[in-house]
Amino acid sequence: MRTQVAIIGAGPAGLLLSHLLYKAGIDCVILERRDRAYVESRIRAGILEQITVDLLRQVGVNERMDREGLAHDGFAMATGEETIRIDMAALTGKNVMVYGQTEVTRDLIDAAIERNIPLLFEAENVAVHDVTGAKPIVTWTRNGKQEKLEADFIAGCDGFHGVARASIPADKLSLFERVYPFGWLGLLADVPPCDHELIYASHERGFALASMRSHTRSRYYVQVPLTEKVEEWSDERFWDELTVRLGPDVAPRITRGPSLEKSIAPLRSFVAEPMRYGNLFLAGDAAHIVPPTGAKGLNLAASDVAFLAEGLIDHYKGSATGLELYSTRALSRIWKAERFSWWFTSLMHRFPDTDAFGRRMQMAELDYIKGSETARRTVAENYVGLPLR
Ligand code: RFL
Ligand code: PHB
């Protein structure tokens, strides 16, 4: 088999890239290790920046998102004592869209099948070869049979634990990492959200987030120590803790219900530089991870593949510039999102070494944000997403 671009991974990065290439008339094949049901059921992100929404519209995979997605003009930061509303629309003229990653993924897969974009699920033992040569190769096994694909380029869109970054010699990459000493326990339930906007709460007992998927489906998170096991959290225990952390004003508006899903995600900041090795390009979580506090992970995956598609389109038009600039362009946006996510995480969470002074610093910063339109605009500008360039 032969194609122009071999894409490893059918997450948001790989799928969106395939549609951007399709629109430009560039052939690709997507190889995904898991089956379709597994890929579509991974519950993760919920917030799309306008740039991501625009990209989905650009590739024509926007019909259901525009019908079912909820535009949000603001969100709240709560301290237990006060609530600060960040009016994104007034401060930046932009908003964000609540539309789950599961829905984005489902729409992109449906459209890929409709457009006959080759999408191979259950491709096991994917390996890349000769990536520094002119004819890179991807091999895999499927139903016990060894398969092979020749390509001009390989896009490693296979997430943090994928094979693409792992195939690059260690001395060709610089890695930057911070692992946080806590995780997020998330719960999804078919109950109406406690508020029409998201609430990020910084409480003495730890962080909590009230989010949603629709008017009838809520997504909540509480910060937990990494030693915690999900089995130790009955639904009742989760709702009790959430109620305390969201504070007395919000508590009466929380509707409890049985969990559809409950899981713990560790928090990490991570960047691998550069995002290119020969003809292998990394995009999305394969190259970087942000803690979910800023809602940036999926959105960075989208902006990466926008830069990568631009480079590939340039290449097939005869210019190497876009691909040469890919890593630099992408990393410039990534590092700013890394900074915002790290800052927002540091401000809102309780760290094991957060003493009385540290807590006062957090409270003083939140009070400053409350009183300063300039500070609120800075938060809003980063949350809605910085421009591509
Ligand atoms: P993905 O989604 O991990 O997809 C990678 C795909 O590659 C496949 N794969 C392989 N395929 C073939 N061969 C191999 N060897 C392979 N290894 C892996 C995998 O099966 C998978 O299908 O990466 P991608 O496309 O880069 O997308 C990144 C996003 O998924 C991620 O950044 C976000 O989910 C992060 N995130 C959030 N991002 C936001 O923008 N807004 C949010 O509100 C938000 N909330 C979140 C989040 C992530 C969370 N968790 C669980 C980490 C909330 C949470 C709790
Ligand atoms: C979510 O709805 O899953 C979500 C929303 C905002 C975040 C992180 C996760 O910052």
Side-chain angles (χ1 to χ4, degrees):
M1 234 198 302
R2 179 162 174 90
T3 191
Q4 289 174 297
V5 183
I7 300 176
I8 309 174
L15 289 165
L16 181 57
L17 177 62
S18 76
H19 286 282
L20 289 165
L21 297 179
Y22 169 85
K23 285 279 166 190
I26 297 169
D27 288 338
C28 69
V29 174
I30 313 172
L31 300 167
E32 165 59 47
R33 183 173 55 171
R34 304 287 190 162
D35 63 27
R36 181 175 178 179
Y38 182 95
V39 170
E40 288 185 352
S41 64
R42 265 190 307 231
I43 294 167
R44 286 178 162 186
I47 302 290
L48 307 183
E49 294 173 356
Q50 220 165 66
I51 287 178
T52 308
V53 168
D54 289 345
L55 283 164
L56 288 164
R57 288 183 183 146
Q58 189 187 320
V59 298
V61 184
N62 56 308
E63 194 258 334
R64 198 162 68 96
M65 173 186 74
D66 283 331
R67 195 160 22 96
E68 295 177 12
L70 308 174
H72 277 202
D73 287 343
F75 68 91
M77 295 163 75
T79 66
E81 283 157 33
E82 51 191 6
T83 300
I84 308 159
R85 181 164 185 269
I86 305 294
D87 189 336
M88 297 181 275
L91 292 163
T92 69
K94 294 182 190 155
N95 59 10
V96 296
M97 171 94 83
V98 170
Y99 192 62
Q101 181 168 334
T102 43
E103 311 313 306
V104 173
T105 307
R106 212 178 98 197
D107 295 348
L108 288 168
I109 290 176
D110 280 344
I113 291 167
E114 208 178 287
R115 292 171 175 179
N116 287 320
I117 297 173
L119 169 47
L120 278 60
F121 289 101
E122 298 178 80
E124 290 168 21
N125 307 312
V126 170
V128 302
H129 314 268
D130 304 334
V131 295
T132 52
K135 287 204 180 333
I137 287 171
V138 187
T139 56
W140 68 98
T141 53
R142 197 161 180 240
N143 301 324
K145 222 176 116 217
Q146 177 83 16
E147 309 273 1
K148 180 177 156 184
L149 176 66
E150 282 178 18
D152 299 332
F153 301 103
I154 302 173
C157 303
D158 49 352
F160 184 63
H161 300 287
V163 66
R165 192 183 71 252
S167 308
I168 301 176
D171 64 342
K172 301 289 181 201
L173 283 182
S174 299
L175 308 182
F176 304 85
E177 182 168 46
R178 173 142 315 171
V179 177
Y180 299 87
F182 42 73
W184 279 18
L185 168 63
L187 178 144
L188 185 74
D190 272 333
V191 292
C194 64
D195 197 274
H196 68 291
E197 291 178 348
L198 269 63
I199 304 172
Y200 292 82
S202 172
H203 189 274
E204 292 268 0
R205 292 176 62 87
F207 171 79
L209 169 60
S211 182
M212 67 190 76
R213 290 293 176 271
S214 69
H215 294 305
T216 56
R217 182 168 282 191
S218 302
R219 179 70 164 160
Y220 290 109
Y221 298 94
V222 292
Q223 171 192 350
V224 293
L226 281 173
T227 46
E228 217 80 353
K229 302 262 174 303
V230 72
E231 303 78 53
E232 291 160 4
W233 284 83
S234 64
D235 288 0
E236 252 354 84
R237 183 178 171 204
F238 182 94
W239 291 115
D240 288 347
E241 188 63 33
L242 181 77
T243 305
V244 170
R245 293 193 194 178
L246 287 178
D249 290 349
V250 180
R253 292 184 270 131
I254 298 173
T255 310
R256 297 181 180 215
S259 60
L260 300 170
E261 193 260 5
K262 211 165 31 183
S263 55
I264 296 179
L267 267 67
R268 181 194 303 271
S269 298
F270 173 84
V271 180
E273 288 183 351
M275 291 163 65
R276 173 180 192 173
Y277 177 60
N279 288 319
L280 169 65
F281 295 85
L282 303 179
D285 279 16
H288 45 78
I289 296 288
V290 284
T293 323
K296 292 279 163 262
L298 165 60
N299 293 298
L300 282 181
S303 55
D304 284 358
V305 296
F307 292 126
L308 182 53
E310 197 182 313
L312 291 165
I313 292 166
D314 272 9
H315 168 86
Y316 289 110
K317 283 186 182 156
S319 160
T321 315
L323 284 181
E324 274 162 14
L325 288 175
Y326 166 66
S327 180
T328 311
R329 277 181 181 161
L331 283 164
S332 153
R333 190 163 194 274
I334 289 158
W335 274 115
K336 291 182 205 103
E338 290 282 347
R339 187 209 66 81
F340 177 66
S341 306
W342 159 82
W343 169 80
F344 202 15
T345 303
S346 309
L347 176 63
M348 302 303 284
H349 289 73
R350 188 187 170 87
F351 286 71
D353 58 356
T354 304
D355 56 8
F357 180 81
R359 181 66 187 154
R360 283 288 200 281
M361 288 297 100
Q362 289 180 330
M363 296 302 274
E365 185 155 6
L366 285 160
D367 200 31
Y368 166 63
I369 293 168
K370 185 180 168 113
S372 162
E373 187 179 305
T374 307
R376 286 198 304 283
R377 182 168 288 116
T378 299
V379 176
E381 182 181 44
N382 282 276
Y383 193 87
V384 299
L386 295 174
L388 284 176
R389 294 221 170 82

